[in-house]
Amino acid sequence: MLGQSHAISGALLYAATAPFLPEALLGVQPRPSEVLVGTLLCAGAALLPDLDHHDATPAHLLGPLSRGLCRVVGRLCGGHRHATHSLLFVALTGWGTWMGVTRLGGGFTLGLTFVLFALAARALHLHPPGHGLTAWVTSVGLAGVGTATVAAWFTGIAVWLPYTVCLGTLSHLLGDCLTRRGAPLFWPCRRRFELVLIRRTGGKLETRFFVPVMTVATFAALWFSAFAPRLATG
């Protein structure tokens, strides 16, 4: 799947489950504003499994530095769609995020928030076309504004950031299971799980059907999980 598709699927999964899943797992019910922020952060987290690909969205985040990092991750993980596309990776990203926010505090939390916002901005094409300086500055600028907003108004983000990262990475795996090659969910077991609905990445079925449908579904889910409750109580 394209980075845009993964980002939208992450946003959709977060928005659709916000009314019940955070309370069931964390014992907290996110405020409407937290649902909006969490949806964007989950869209960014949905790109993290592609850290193993030298030309995926994460590779374009910091130019040569991020491309080099993705090449190293890809080699260490056995190539694209191996270790980082497993449930073990989902668990490790969640655990790593939890360790970071509890042991390293606000610096780690805001740093990760910035990265996730920047990934979401790039994947959702919230910048001028291409991978040039203008696109990079726009993505970084939007991420900076988002991070500053979180720092000022969302002091409880550390509670639900690990959950958001887990949900985003999980959505990526589910999306890749709909394509050829699937995903090795139980890596290091090599068996791949797939239910092929998207036969070609970037094809018409993905770009003209799945992306528009998921986009509309995301906005509908946001309405019911964030805006509608506010109107009902107001």
Side-chain angles (χ1 to χ4, degrees), residues 175-229:
D176 276 350
C177 284
L178 302 180
T179 67
R180 289 184 174 182
R181 290 186 63 203
L185 299 181
F186 297 105
W187 184 92
C189 174
R190 295 185 178 183
R191 180 187 175 188
R192 291 177 178 269
F193 294 81
E194 60 182 52
L195 176 62
V196 182
L197 298 180
I198 301 174
R199 296 188 176 276
R200 186 168 67 87
T201 299
K204 292 181 179 180
L205 181 62
E206 179 180 356
T207 59
R208 299 185 183 182
F209 177 76
F210 279 104
V211 168
V213 168
M214 289 193 299
T215 300
V216 172
T218 299
F219 281 107
L222 279 174
W223 170 258
F224 287 107
S225 60
F227 297 109

Side-chain angles (χ1 to χ4, degrees), residues 56-78:
T57 302
H60 297 291
L61 189 62
L62 296 174
L65 179 61
S66 54
R67 282 195 296 273
L69 173 64
C70 288
R71 288 184 185 277
V72 171
V73 172
R75 289 172 184 170
L76 291 176
C77 295

Side-chain angles (χ1 to χ4, degrees), residues 20-220:
F20 60 90
L21 198 55
E23 186 171 14
L25 296 179
L26 306 176
V28 296
Q29 182 60 50
R31 304 190 308 270
S33 57
E34 291 175 334
V35 173
L36 295 176
V37 171
T39 297
L40 288 173
L41 292 177
C42 197
L47 279 300
L48 292 178
D50 275 347
L51 283 169
D52 64 357
H53 196 293
H54 69 279
D55 198 32
T57 302
H60 297 291
L61 189 62
L62 296 174
L65 179 61
S66 54
R67 282 195 296 273
L69 173 64
C70 288
R71 288 184 185 277
V72 171
V73 172
R75 289 172 184 170
L76 291 176
C77 295
H80 184 46
R81 289 204 195 185
H82 288 280
T84 63
H85 287 65
S86 67
L87 294 175
L88 176 61
F89 180 77
V90 174
L92 287 176
T93 54
W95 176 79
T97 303
W98 178 80
M99 288 291 290
V101 298
T102 55
R103 299 291 178 87
L104 302 179
F108 175 88
T109 302
L110 294 179
L112 180 58
T113 297
F114 176 85
V115 170
L116 296 182
F117 273 138
L119 286 174
R122 291 202 67 90
L124 297 174
H125 303 304
L126 304 179
H127 58 77
H131 301 297
L133 180 62
T134 304
W136 181 82
V137 169
T138 302
S139 299
V140 169
L142 291 173
V145 171
T147 305
T149 302
V150 167
W153 300 102
F154 296 85
T155 55
I157 186 176
V159 175
W160 46 269
L161 188 58
Y163 158 82
T164 304
V165 170
C166 275
L167 203 63
T169 52
L170 179 61
S171 74
H172 187 113
L173 270 57
L174 296 176
D176 276 350
C177 284
L178 302 180
T179 67
R180 289 184 174 182
R181 290 186 63 203
L185 299 181
F186 297 105
W187 184 92
C189 174
R190 295 185 178 183
R191 180 187 175 188
R192 291 177 178 269
F193 294 81
E194 60 182 52
L195 176 62
V196 182
L197 298 180
I198 301 174
R199 296 188 176 276
R200 186 168 67 87
T201 299
K204 292 181 179 180
L205 181 62
E206 179 180 356
T207 59
R208 299 185 183 182
F209 177 76
F210 279 104
V211 168
V213 168
M214 289 193 299
T215 300
V216 172
T218 299
F219 281 107

